């Protein structure tokens, strides 16, 4: 393990287990890009990456598309631990491009409770995109609090905390090419 000088981080890394290898991810991302390319054939899409977790996924996904796309980013934060409402979510980085009349695809790292995604969809709908769909790298079903589903899903898992491929644990581990599940 290189680049991990922090002792507590090393302990966590010792307890990780590979969930999806780089090869498995590459294959699945190409399949997803094909699905999206077919769905929007002949059109140009605007992909909105949700920072920070989705940046690696988005970068790989767009390079496998066979249709043109433009890119923007947004970032959201939730506050008030333990509460279960979209009212606790704030946008910390707004999208910069106009989305009115555009075919928009939100690119999310993980859908867990569904609160973040629901908030974002509601905000973006106000700007009247032509269409609005969601592509999630991982769908975590068990803790869903709002019954929302992504239109394109890379992998579905029941539960557990995952890192790597853009996903962090206290800002560490985003650089790892594989996805790991942290074991308690
Ligand atoms: P939700 O609002 O759906 O509960 O929250 C989704 C966000 O929580 C994701 O975009 C992600 O940033 C974070 N998240 C949820 N589960 C995990 C996980 O297993 N690993 C990491 N690194 N982040 C997670």
């Amino acid at each position: 393990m290189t680049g991990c000088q922090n002792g507590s981080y090393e302990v966590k890394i010792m307890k990780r287990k590979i969930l999806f290898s780089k090869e498995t991810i590459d294959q699945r991302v190409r399949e997803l890009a094909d699905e999206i390319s077919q769905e929007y054939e002949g059109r140009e899409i605007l992909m909105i990456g949700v920072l920070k977790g989705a940046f690696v996924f988005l970068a790989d996904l767009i390079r496998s598309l066979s249709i043109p796309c433009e890119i923007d980013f947004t970032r959201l934060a939730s506050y008030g631990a333990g509460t279960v409402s979209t009212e606790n979510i704030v946008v910390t980085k707004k999208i910069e491009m106009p989305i009115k009349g555009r075919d928009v695809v939100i690119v999310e790292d993980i859908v867990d409770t569904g609160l973040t995604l629901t908030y974002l969809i509601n905000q973006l709908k106000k700007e009247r995109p032509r269409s609005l769909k969601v592509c999630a790298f991982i769908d975590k079903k068990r803790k869903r609090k709002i019954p929302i589903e992504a239109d394109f899903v890379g992998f579905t898992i029941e539960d557990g905390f995952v890192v790597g491929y853009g996903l962090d644990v206290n800002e560490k581990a985003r650089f790892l090419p594989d996805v790991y599940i942290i074991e308690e």
Side-chain angles (χ1 to χ4, degrees):
M1 188 73 226
T2 55
C4 302
Q5 310 304 324
N6 179 313
S8 61
Y9 176 51
E10 279 179 29
V11 171
K12 286 196 174 103
I13 290 298
M14 291 294 284
K15 292 180 184 168
R16 72 189 182 178
K17 184 175 79 182
I18 277 208
L19 190 61
F20 306 119
S21 69
K22 179 184 184 319
E23 291 70 29
T24 304
I25 295 168
D26 286 349
Q27 170 68 28
R28 186 67 193 120
V29 169
R30 278 197 298 271
E31 289 168 3
L32 273 180
D34 287 347
E35 273 181 53
I36 294 170
S37 300
Q38 279 170 26
E39 174 95 14
Y40 294 96
E41 200 180 348
R43 281 140 73 183
E44 181 187 57
I45 55 177
L46 172 58
M47 298 198 113
I48 299 180
V50 184
L51 294 170
K52 298 181 188 176
F55 82 105
V56 177
F57 177 45
L58 177 74
D60 281 350
L61 194 60
I62 58 171
R63 286 177 292 170
S64 288
L65 290 175
S66 57
I67 54 165
C69 72
E70 293 181 354
I71 307 298
D72 203 351
F73 290 97
T74 187
R75 191 167 186 204
L76 301 102
S78 54
Y79 59 93
T83 53
V84 286
S85 167
T86 55
E87 285 168 23
N88 300 107
I89 294 167
V90 287
V91 176
T92 58
K93 189 220 168 290
K94 286 184 184 173
I95 56 166
E96 290 162 28
M97 295 169 72
I99 66 166
K100 187 176 177 186
R102 304 290 310 264
D103 289 306
V104 175
V105 179
I106 297 169
V107 181
E108 228 333 356
D109 55 355
I110 298 181
V111 186
D112 190 9
T113 61
L115 291 168
T116 309
L117 189 56
T118 301
Y119 180 88
L120 181 58
I121 287 173
N122 289 339
Q123 293 300 310
L124 295 185
K125 271 185 180 166
K126 290 179 192 165
E127 296 181 43
R128 290 187 287 146
R130 178 173 186 254
S131 66
L132 182 59
K133 293 204 173 189
V134 177
C135 177
F137 178 56
I138 289 177
D139 185 1
K140 267 165 69 168
K141 297 263 182 216
R142 189 168 290 171
K143 292 200 198 127
R144 198 74 101 248
K145 288 178 175 144
I146 299 181
I148 189 164
E149 297 301 327
D151 303 277
F152 309 97
V153 174
F155 300 97
T156 300
I157 63 174
E158 277 301 308
D159 207 355
F161 195 82
V162 291
V163 300
Y165 196 69
L167 303 164
D168 75 314
V169 52
N170 298 328
E171 292 302 328
K172 308 290 184 188
R174 292 192 198 275
F175 63 94
L176 298 169
D178 310 287
V179 168
Y180 296 83
I181 190 148
I182 301 285
E183 298 181 321
E184 293 298 325

